[in-house]
């Protein structure tokens, strides 16, 4: 286990920053962190819209209160804990995107955006930064800490603490992330509505749920929404997986979906339901399965700043619904309408459930306890059991050489994975 790093600062000014996609209960995290420090007489700054302004900071362009940051007050936090949205906004700006190994931190050009972030925060004379976001934001927090570690001995330094955020729930170091269960319930309600629609028209809905890397959201929504079947990236293995050569010269391959067998598994489920007298249903797939499409389906699809394919341009549900309708017709001689549907955005700012408000609140308070009570630096706040707080060093979450994080997948044949198999329409293997 990595050793915890400590600081010896008396924290009087703290900045809170939120980056990446929204998540229900974001304001519970932000407001409780801010409240904890305000109660102790500290000043608390909310940096607006992630790293977007900080990454462009120069001494000639000072940060402007109101436009670039706000000062939290007790009045501004009234009724914020259970409110929806993100009270300080967000953005996907990634100031550490050019730094992919520790040596890059010594390159002035590659590290320039991180330096601007550091200088922008120093201009506010902050004693600590609370970072809230997904795995890319965790990587940025780690790089900002490492950048400061490399500064001359007399340079100003401030500790960095990170709070994990993603509705995808695929974060290492924590069991469940705030907003996950609210997002699951929002999508599950849609699926329940679609079940009735499908039954009325003897049709199928193929729902593509958010979840780029893992299938937690798809599985949760399918279980709670009583879907007929769920498939995610974790299921692209065994008979449902193939290999495709991506470099003829080196023979390099990548794992892809065995499209015919994946579609046939869906048809098998449809036929099983018909034998039970049900000519309708819903299927949930995780959007991350698009990464496993054969190359011919990804031609012309661009990638984002983090190197991810732009999944929205693929429209996996549309692709697979067409293939499914055609294969059903081919095998049965009958037609069955299959409607493709993308879901997810509508869940990210849904009114947070009590569980997520409590979890988010504990994470926010955990930032205060990490920085003031424990005087820690470079840790992620985690919660388990009866909302027990844990502080996980960045070194345990980020690869020391590549500076990338580890995705937490649903474990094959875990009890959670098997739960979905028990509840969906049985398909003979």
């Amino acid at each position: 286990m990595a050793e915890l790093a400590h600081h010896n600062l008396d924290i009087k000014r703290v900045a809170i920053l939120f980056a990446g996609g929204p998540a229900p209960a974001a304001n519970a995290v932000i407001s409780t962190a801010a409240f904890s420090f305000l109660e102790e007489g500290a000043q608390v700054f909310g940096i607006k819209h992630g790293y977007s302004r900080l990454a462009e900071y120069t001494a000639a362009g000072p940060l402007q209160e109101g436009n670039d940051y706000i000062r939290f007050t007790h009045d501004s936090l009234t009724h914020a804990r259970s409110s929806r949205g993100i009270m300080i906004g967000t953005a996907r700006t990634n100031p550490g995107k050019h730094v992919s190994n520790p040596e890059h931190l010594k390159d002035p050009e590659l590290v320039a955006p991180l330096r601007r972030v550091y200088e922008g925060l120093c201009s506010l004379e902050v004693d600590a930064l609370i970072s809230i976001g997904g795995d890319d934001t965790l990587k940025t927090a780690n790089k900002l800490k490492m950048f400061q570690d490399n500064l001359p001995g007399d340079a100003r330094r401030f500790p960095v603490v990170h709070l994990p955020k993603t509705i995808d729930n695929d974060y290492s170091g924590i069991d469940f992330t705030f907003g996950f269960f609210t997002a699951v319930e929002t999508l599950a309600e849609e699926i329940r509505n679609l079940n009735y629609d499908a039954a009325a028209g003897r049709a199928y809905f193929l729902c593509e749920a958010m979840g780029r890397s893992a299938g937690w959201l798809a599985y949760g929504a399918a279980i709670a929404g009583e879907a007929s079947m769920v498939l995610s990236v974790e299921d692209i293995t065994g008979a449902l997986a193939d290999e495709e050569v991506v470099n003829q010269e080196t023979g390099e391959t990548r794992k892809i979906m065995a499209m015919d067998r994946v579609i046939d598994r869906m048809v098998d489920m449809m036929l099983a339901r018909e034998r039970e007298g049900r000519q309708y249903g819903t299927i949930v797939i995780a959007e991350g399965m698009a990464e496993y499409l054969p190359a011919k389906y990804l031609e012309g699809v661009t990638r984002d700043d983090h190197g991810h394919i732009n999944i929205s341009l693929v429209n996996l549900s549309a692709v697979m619904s067409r293939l499914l309708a055609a294969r059903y017709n081919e095998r049965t001689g009958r037609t069955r309408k299959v409607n493709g549907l993308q879901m997810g955005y509508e869940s990210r700012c849904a009114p947070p459930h009590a569980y997520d408000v409590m979890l988010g609140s504990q994470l926010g308070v955990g930032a205060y306890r990490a920085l003031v009570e424990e005087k820690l630096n470079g840790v992620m706040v985690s919660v388990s059991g009866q909302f027990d707080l844990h502080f996980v060093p960045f070194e345990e979450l980020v690869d020391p050489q590549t500076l990338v994080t580890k995705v937490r997948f649903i474990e094959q044949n875990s009890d959670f994975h098997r739960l979905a198999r028990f509840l969906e329409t049985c398909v003979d293997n």
Side-chain angles (χ1 to χ4, degrees):
M1 181 175 177
E3 188 175 334
L4 292 170
H6 291 80
H7 68 83
N8 57 7
L9 297 175
D10 184 17
I11 296 175
K12 295 298 184 183
R13 297 162 73 92
V14 61
I16 300 175
L17 180 149
F18 191 107
N27 288 341
V29 183
I30 296 165
S31 65
T32 53
F35 180 81
S36 298
F37 283 94
L38 286 178
E39 286 290 281
E40 295 298 314
Q43 292 186 64
V44 187
F45 303 97
I47 306 300
K48 298 185 72 172
H49 303 293
Y51 285 103
S52 56
R53 178 62 175 86
L54 287 174
E56 298 174 351
Y57 174 80
T58 64
L63 300 177
Q64 297 181 348
E65 185 170 356
N67 288 328
D68 304 321
Y69 68 92
I70 61 171
R71 293 176 194 255
F72 286 110
T73 65
H74 283 90
D75 283 347
S76 68
L77 299 178
T78 303
H79 305 308
R81 193 181 310 161
S82 58
S83 64
R84 65 174 79 188
I86 307 171
M87 59 199 306
I88 53 177
T90 188
R92 293 192 179 276
T93 303
N94 180 5
K97 67 180 178 181
H98 300 303
V99 176
S100 56
N101 71 63
E103 287 300 308
H104 289 167
L105 291 164
K106 301 174 183 177
D107 186 318
E109 187 175 339
L110 297 178
V111 85
L114 284 173
R115 178 174 290 281
R116 289 194 290 270
V117 168
Y118 164 78
E119 291 174 348
L121 290 169
C122 285
S123 75
L124 296 178
E125 299 182 344
V126 301
D127 300 312
L129 172 66
I130 299 170
S131 154
I132 308 167
D135 58 344
D136 285 316
T137 311
L138 168 59
K139 287 185 283 189
T140 301
N142 181 53
K143 292 169 188 176
L144 187 57
K145 176 188 178 294
M146 294 177 72
F147 168 81
Q148 295 185 79
D149 290 342
N150 288 332
L151 291 173
D154 60 347
R156 182 186 184 92
R157 287 176 171 80
F158 50 83
V160 181
V161 165
H162 182 72
L163 309 183
K165 179 277 314 175
T166 176
I167 62 169
D168 295 347
N169 197 47
D170 58 358
Y171 232 108
S172 293
I174 191 168
D175 294 331
F176 293 103
T177 48
F178 73 85
F180 169 67
F181 285 105
T182 300
V184 164
E185 173 57 23
T186 304
L187 299 188
E189 179 63 16
E190 286 192 60
I191 293 168
R192 291 190 284 266
N193 292 340
L194 295 174
N195 280 332
Y196 285 98
D197 190 302
R202 292 179 297 178
Y204 270 82
F205 284 94
L206 196 156
C207 305
E208 176 187 349
M210 281 186 170
R212 172 180 291 279
S213 300
W216 293 97
L217 193 54
Y219 265 69
I223 291 168
E226 300 192 46
S228 313
M229 170 179 274
V230 58
L231 289 172
S232 181
V233 296
E234 292 91 344
D235 300 306
I236 306 305
T237 185
L240 300 186
D242 272 336
E243 284 191 345
E244 181 178 71
V245 176
V246 294
N247 189 316
Q248 297 289 345
E249 293 182 3
T250 65
E252 180 187 354
T253 63
R254 73 179 183 105
K255 186 167 77 168
I256 62 169
M257 275 191 281
M259 292 295 287
D260 291 345
R261 292 192 287 276
V262 170
I263 296 300
D264 270 327
R265 182 175 177 82
M266 294 178 180
V267 175
D268 289 344
M269 179 274 297
M270 294 168 72
L271 297 179
R273 287 180 66 81
E274 288 180 5
R275 289 193 294 272
E276 297 169 354
R278 294 177 290 180
Q279 297 178 310
Y280 67 93
T282 54
I283 301 168
V284 181
I285 58 174
E287 65 175 1
M289 291 171 67
E291 297 272 7
Y292 295 84
L293 283 169
K296 66 180 181 180
Y297 294 99
L298 299 176
E299 292 176 3
V301 177
T302 57
R303 293 184 176 268
D304 64 17
D305 285 347
H306 304 293
H308 306 142
I309 67 167
N310 287 316
I311 284 178
S312 60
L313 299 180
V314 177
N315 199 340
L316 183 64
S317 59
V319 171
M320 297 193 77
S321 61
R322 288 194 296 269
L323 293 173
L324 180 56
R327 183 59 175 157
Y328 176 86
N329 176 256
E330 185 180 325
R331 285 180 55 177
T332 66
R334 303 188 300 272
T335 59
R336 180 77 62 211
K337 187 174 183 181
V338 182
N339 305 285
L341 187 68
Q342 291 179 305
M343 304 190 310
Y345 284 104
E346 60 272 46
S347 71
R348 301 195 304 176
C349 286
H353 287 193
Y355 178 84
D356 285 327
V357 172
M358 290 188 290
L359 173 58
S361 297
Q362 182 68 310
L363 288 170
V365 168
Y368 171 85
R369 293 184 60 183
L371 288 165
V372 176
E373 293 183 3
E374 305 294 332
K375 290 196 171 295
L376 295 175
N377 181 20
V379 298
M380 184 188 85
V381 180
S382 181
V383 174
S384 66
Q386 296 184 10
F387 282 179
D388 301 316
L389 284 168
H390 307 278
F391 306 113
V392 187
F394 289 166
E395 291 88 340
E396 291 187 11
L397 303 168
V398 181
D399 186 286
Q401 298 304 316
T402 64
L403 304 183
V404 299
T405 52
K406 182 180 179 182
V407 173
R408 185 169 61 93
F409 294 99
I410 299 172
E411 294 179 14
Q412 277 278 345
N413 295 317
S414 65
D415 287 336
F416 180 73
H417 189 261
R418 293 181 66 191
L419 174 61
R421 301 287 86 86
F422 270 101
L423 298 179
E424 66 187 8
T425 298
C426 182
V427 177
D428 294 328
N429 293 317

